[in-house]
Amino acid sequence: MHTSESSRASEGKGVGLGLALVSALAFGGSGVAAKPLIEAGLDPLHVVWLRVAGAALVMLPLAVRHRALLRSRPALLAGFGLLGVAGVQAFYFASISRIPVGVALLVEYLAPALVLGWVRFVQRRPVTRAAALGVVLAVGGLECVVEVWSGLSFDALGLLLALGAACCQVGYFVLSDQGSDSGEVPDPLGVIAYGLLVGTAVLTVVARPWTMDFSVLAQRADMNGTPVAAGLLLGWIVLIATVLAYVTGVVSVRRLSPAIAGVVACLEAVVATVLAWVLLGEHLSAPQIVGGAVVLLGAFIAQSSTPAKGSVEPVATGGAESRLSARENAP
């Protein structure tokens, strides 16, 4: 009996690891597919609206199924839709219109370090030395990524937009932490479905999709010299990089420990950087590659070392699960 239970647990972790890898691969391809559409003439906000609205339509049945969340967690749904969906994606897509995809995503990975800043200086809760080391590594690695010794080799506004995406993630992480007081964890798929609906509503006002040049979607976009149907790229963004990425990410977190899932989640930035290199010709220098690895290491250490809410003493791994789930739910 014990052997059978152990075998099932091992199999469950194997499935979880596979799903986490699928999620990282799917999320990592969003920027690579979106950038050619932006360069073809679509406004970044319009691409974000198409992505969020399309995914919301696909996941509408889940919203109907979990409609009780409207009464029990309205603030969480609004925060996830405004920050975790509309804010993160709008800032990220706007940033990749000005800087390389890999650089934008690595800047976004400052979010766990920024969460620790919130914990230490706003909530005035202690953090571990490991957490502080994670912040130092993330910031130092980012300096290599943006080549600070060259006076910032990338567009400053693009970097600020990527930082805005990281800040939106922090906002959702904090909101998610505040929403955990009741002890009843809402179904993450329901949160995603309503977050997409809220995000669509917000982005409709901001992006004004009726001004979009829809004819671009019937044409071909250029992917580093290779023409690709714009409709195919949009389908990938909606179905693979959003719906599939969200669902597999949520299910994987339920099957894996936060530490393992956190490592796999960091592969998203690696995947995005490699795909951008191969498909878009966005090459990074050796120092940038090393810096990117350091950013991911620092982000993981910071994420896994954030103290659990309500703890008095600093801890090494407490409180990571809610932030990891939020990271998997955020593009």
Side-chain angles (χ1 to χ4, degrees), residues 235-261:
W236 178 276
I237 292 171
V238 172
L239 298 177
I240 305 300
T242 307
V243 176
L244 178 65
Y246 280 163
V247 173
T248 54
V250 165
V251 176
S252 71
V253 168
R254 291 178 173 180
R255 292 174 177 263
L256 298 173
S257 69
I260 296 175

Side-chain angles (χ1 to χ4, degrees), residues 25-44 47-48 50-51 92-93 96-97 101-102 216-217 219-224 226 228-242 271-280 282:
L25 289 169
F27 272 130
S30 65
V32 176
K35 191 156 189 173
L37 293 178
I38 296 171
E39 293 177 343
L42 286 180
D43 186 276
V47 179
V48 175
L50 287 168
R51 178 187 188 183
Y92 174 56
F93 277 18
I96 66 172
S97 69
V101 170
V216 173
L217 298 177
Q219 301 171 8
R220 291 184 176 274
D222 179 76
M223 183 174 282
N224 195 29
T226 302
V228 181
L232 180 62
L233 293 174
L234 179 60
W236 178 276
I237 292 171
V238 172
L239 298 177
I240 305 300
T242 307
V271 170
T273 302
V274 171
L275 288 178
W277 192 317
V278 174
L279 299 178
L280 301 180
E282 295 182 348

Side-chain angles (χ1 to χ4, degrees), residues 98-100 103 142-156 159 283-285 288:
R98 309 182 70 95
I99 62 176
V103 173
L142 187 62
E143 290 178 350
C144 293
V145 171
V146 302
E147 296 183 334
V148 67
W149 57 84
S150 301
L152 294 179
S153 62
F154 297 109
D155 183 279
L159 293 174
H283 297 177
L284 298 182
S285 65
Q288 289 172 327

Side-chain angles (χ1 to χ4, degrees), residues 114-157:
L114 294 176
V115 168
L116 278 175
W118 174 273
V119 170
R120 180 65 184 90
F121 298 109
V122 178
Q123 296 183 338
R124 298 187 180 281
R125 291 157 55 197
V127 297
T128 63
R129 291 181 179 179
L133 173 62
V135 173
V136 172
L137 286 174
V139 174
L142 187 62
E143 290 178 350
C144 293
V145 171
V146 302
E147 296 183 334
V148 67
W149 57 84
S150 301
L152 294 179
S153 62
F154 297 109
D155 183 279
L157 178 57

Side-chain angles (χ1 to χ4, degrees), residues 1-11:
M1 179 67 73
H2 178 72
T3 302
S4 177
E5 291 178 354
S6 177
S7 177
R8 282 197 297 269
S10 177
E11 182 179 348

Side-chain angles (χ1 to χ4, degrees), residues 126-216:
V127 297
T128 63
R129 291 181 179 179
L133 173 62
V135 173
V136 172
L137 286 174
V139 174
L142 187 62
E143 290 178 350
C144 293
V145 171
V146 302
E147 296 183 334
V148 67
W149 57 84
S150 301
L152 294 179
S153 62
F154 297 109
D155 183 279
L157 178 57
L159 293 174
L160 285 174
L161 290 169
L163 184 59
C167 290
C168 285
Q169 276 197 38
V170 172
Y172 176 64
F173 293 162
V174 171
L175 178 65
S176 179
D177 211 22
Q178 296 294 324
S180 63
D181 292 336
S182 65
E184 298 180 2
V185 180
D187 190 292
L189 292 177
V191 174
I192 291 171
Y194 276 104
L196 289 168
L197 287 172
V198 171
T200 299
V202 172
L203 289 169
T204 298
V205 175
V206 176
R208 299 186 301 164
W210 53 87
T211 65
M212 187 190 319
D213 182 7
F214 284 94
S215 65
V216 173

